[in-house]
Amino acid sequence: MDLTQKTQENVEYMIEAIKNKLRMATGAAMQASAFSVERYDDIYEVYEIVMSKERLSISEVEAVASELGNLRG
């Protein structure tokens, strides 16, 4: 996956990867298609942080979920 391209497909890929990494219980409620390519750089930044960590604490998961909520739509 070439994440240097700012496409809706890449946005959706990153959101799904973040949800899988976090094992989010509310993942179904957070549809990847609800995220706009206009927020690509912000989503990519969250993606990079999440993927760089082997494990995330509960507070980190909550912070990521909150940030994703802010980036939707």
Side-chain angles (χ1 to χ4, degrees):
M1 181 70 51
D2 180 7
L3 296 179
T4 62
Q5 301 299 312
K6 294 181 180 183
T7 66
Q8 186 64 35
E9 180 183 8
N10 284 348
V11 167
E12 293 179 16
Y13 170 84
M14 289 187 292
I15 296 299
E16 290 300 325
I18 291 168
K19 287 176 10 183
N20 289 335
K21 178 87 173 192
L22 300 183
R23 295 181 184 92
M24 291 178 64
T26 59
M30 194 171 296
Q31 296 294 337
S33 59
F35 293 85
S36 170
V37 72
E38 293 172 7
R39 303 302 301 265
Y40 189 91
D41 292 330
D42 297 322
I43 294 167
Y44 185 75
E45 187 176 327
V46 173
Y47 172 82
E48 286 284 287
I49 291 167
V50 169
M51 293 303 149
S52 71
K53 295 181 174 278
E54 190 168 322
R55 289 197 173 86
L56 287 96
S57 69
I58 291 172
S59 61
E60 287 173 319
V61 170
E62 290 172 351
V64 169
S66 175
E67 183 62 21
L68 289 176
N70 292 336
L71 294 174
R72 255 194 321 214

